[in-house]
Amino acid sequence: MSRIVQKYGGTSVGDIERIKRVAERIKAVREEGHELVIVVSARSGVTNELLARARAIHEHPSERELDMLLATGEQETIALTAIALHALAVPAVSYTGAQAGIFTDKVHTKAKIKTINARPIERDLKAGKVVIVAGFQGINEDGQITTLGRGGSDLTAIALAAAVQADKCEIYTDVDGVYTADPRVVKDARKLDEISYDEMLELASSGSKVMQSRSVEFAKKYNVVFEVRSSFNHNPGTIVKEEVAYMEQVVVRGVAVDKDQTKVIVSNIPDKPGSAAKVFRALADASVIVDMIVQNVGRHGIANLTFTVPQSDTARAVKALEPVLDEIGGGQVAVHERIAKLSVVGVGMKTHSGVAATLFQALADVGINIDLISTSEIKISVVVDLDRADEAVRAAHAVFGLDKV
Ligand code: ASP
Ligand code: MG
């Protein structure tokens, strides 16, 4: 007998028929003799719909009330899943985050989990019940309902897996796992059998959103091995785990593209101590998320700063920069929206040389110009023209042999 935590995302519990199918799956696993803790999301679209309703009433709804509202999405699906299990004669009980003992800090709408009191869950598992827990929510020390940030049901599942010392943690979604590239763009993209936490995090930050990044960070910290797989078939998924030596044999694990970035150029600023600090302080104060910073210093004491920001932050970035340029004594801001950031990711880069040269040559061979370049220990990112982004992904995917097993 093993103890399994399964998380079903919004599409997997998207309607009554799907909830019934999830219940059948749970029943089958339970009949093999396993203990099960199930985490469910709200039905797909519900969280967005609830947010839209709140914003239709008030431009800036209170964050406490938002948490109160958003938590209802998951409360619906836990109860329906329990009822679906009862209909199959499977003993099951549903819990809100608070009832499941998930204690968080006080930061409404993006709370962090502090501790989990797993005793009630342990008691029910011992009594032979399937325990169903609402994802994405908890309770703070003042007894207020909190939520864990968008996509937070993943975090609930990973944290519960750590708390109940599960033998297995399975994240069920609507794709078969993590792919070498987006299969809609690259037709010979392959599903990966396994990937390291760090690779998964880099791919997520590069535009391949399979899971909430915070949940992967949490899994890494507590060494929770988990599998991302589909609830619509029985194919094995992708195992996400700590890096092991043989993973470095593969130089590039995957290619991601982020088409949601804007390039901002701040040109002709005085080349003196404090200029960059002031520019990025102003952006930080405006809560703009900055990526890929490049600075070059020309002659005559003049510098240019180029960086990328999410499209949704562009207007805020430009507005925040105006007063700073006056303060530091000059400079102009230009914005280029039709760009994409392509990233190749792999722990093998730590021990292989020539990865950047190979990528750049592959892009050159198809006549794609590279704009910005940035690297980390396990990632190389380049900015290219948005119109050629898909072509660039295919070239990178092919040159690193990702289409071959
Ligand atoms: N329902 C929440 C959201 O849409 C949490 C989740 O689905 O993971 O963000
Ligand atoms: Mg999700």
Side-chain angles (χ1 to χ4, degrees):
M1 182 186 74
S2 56
R3 184 172 276 189
I4 306 174
V5 172
Q6 296 185 331
K7 179 253 171 176
Y8 291 93
T11 47
S12 302
V13 292
D15 58 34
I16 296 297
E17 279 318 305
R18 288 183 173 182
I19 289 174
K20 284 186 183 168
R21 249 179 282 152
V22 162
E24 298 275 4
R25 272 191 101 104
I26 295 169
K27 179 180 170 158
V29 177
R30 184 169 176 277
E31 280 171 358
E32 292 167 15
H34 304 299
E35 290 181 338
L36 282 164
V37 177
I38 308 296
V39 175
V40 291
S41 291
R43 285 183 293 118
S44 52
V46 165
T47 308
N48 284 339
E49 210 177 283
L50 291 170
L51 269 174
R53 284 194 208 171
R55 288 183 182 141
I57 301 172
H58 194 297
E59 201 184 341
H60 300 289
S62 137
E63 295 196 321
R64 179 194 181 276
E65 302 308 333
L66 275 182
D67 279 351
M68 205 64 150
L69 179 68
L70 297 189
T72 63
E74 274 72 12
Q75 199 170 332
E76 176 194 5
T77 47
I78 50 169
L80 290 176
T81 306
I83 292 166
L85 283 165
H86 296 165
L88 300 174
V90 176
V93 58
S94 68
Y95 282 147
T96 63
Q99 290 172 323
I102 299 173
F103 292 92
T104 73
D105 63 17
K106 295 187 185 175
V107 186
H108 283 293
T109 77
K110 41 186 167 304
K112 289 203 170 70
I113 295 177
K114 286 170 76 177
T115 54
I116 296 182
N117 168 14
R119 258 167 303 178
I121 294 180
E122 294 279 355
R123 189 193 55 217
D124 288 328
L125 291 176
K126 293 232 162 61
K129 291 180 195 166
V130 174
V131 180
I132 301 156
V133 180
F136 174 57
Q137 54 176 265
I139 187 164
N140 68 24
E141 64 188 47
D142 298 337
Q144 306 295 324
I145 292 174
T146 53
T147 63
L148 310 175
R150 296 308 305 271
S153 297
D154 292 332
L155 182 58
T156 305
I158 302 283
L160 277 174
V164 304
Q165 300 182 325
D167 302 291
K168 244 178 162 180
C169 179
E170 300 172 332
I171 306 291
Y172 283 94
T173 176
D174 51 5
V175 293
D176 275 0
V178 184
Y179 279 75
T180 51
D182 184 342
R184 286 166 304 184
V185 175
V186 182
K187 59 174 191 319
D188 46 14
R190 281 182 309 111
K191 190 203 75 201
L192 294 162
D193 293 333
E194 55 182 27
I195 186 170
S196 71
Y197 297 124
D198 287 334
E199 289 169 330
M200 181 88 172
L201 284 166
E202 289 283 20
L203 284 176
S205 71
S206 307
S208 299
K209 204 96 202 113
V210 187
M211 271 180 76
Q212 188 205 37
S213 291
R214 265 176 70 188
S215 64
V216 182
E217 281 161 15
F218 193 100
K220 181 182 170 175
K221 188 163 167 202
Y222 294 95
N223 202 13
V224 177
V225 176
F226 62 91
E227 179 178 2
V228 180
R229 53 187 298 179
S230 169
S231 68
F232 296 99
N233 59 47
H234 289 275
N235 301 340
T238 302
I239 308 275
V240 187
K241 63 180 192 184
E242 183 146 37
E243 182 186 333
V244 280
Y246 65 77
M247 284 182 170
E248 292 197 1
Q249 288 163 13
V250 176
V251 183
V252 171
R253 185 89 46 204
V255 183
V257 67
D258 187 350
K259 297 180 179 174
D260 185 37
Q261 298 270 315
T262 302
K263 183 173 78 170
V264 180
I265 304 169
V266 187
S267 53
N268 298 319
I269 52 176
D271 176 27
K272 62 179 187 212
S275 289
K278 289 202 177 80
V279 166
F280 291 103
R281 168 51 50 205
L283 293 168
D285 289 346
S287 300
V288 173
I289 299 166
V290 179
D291 190 19
M292 289 191 86
I293 301 171
V294 177
Q295 175 177 253
N296 39 55
V297 177
R299 281 172 295 172
H300 320 300
I302 289 296
N304 298 321
L305 270 172
T306 308
F307 50 87
T308 63
V309 300
Q311 251 159 42
S312 53
D313 286 0
T314 313
R316 238 175 327 124
V318 171
K319 190 154 167 266
L321 287 169
E322 280 164 19
V324 187
L325 297 185
D326 288 342
E327 196 189 324
I328 60 181
Q332 293 88 40
V333 181
V335 167
H336 293 248
E337 290 198 311
R338 298 199 57 78
I339 61 149
K341 182 179 82 168
L342 170 134
S343 306
V344 299
V345 173
V347 290
M349 284 181 206
K350 291 193 258 187
T351 48
H352 290 75
S353 58
V355 186
T358 303
L359 172 66
F360 301 161
Q361 189 61 52
L363 296 176
D365 288 347
V366 287
I368 293 176
N369 195 42
I370 299 169
D371 192 341
L372 305 182
I373 299 172
S374 78
T375 61
S376 79
E377 202 182 20
I378 65 165
K379 177 167 86 171
I380 301 168
S381 300
V382 294
V383 163
V384 298
D385 187 343
L386 180 63
D387 295 327
R388 304 208 59 191
D390 289 351
E391 226 182 310
V393 172
R394 287 190 283 268
H397 194 265
V399 81
F400 291 109
L402 292 176
D403 47 345
K404 301 183 189 75
V405 185

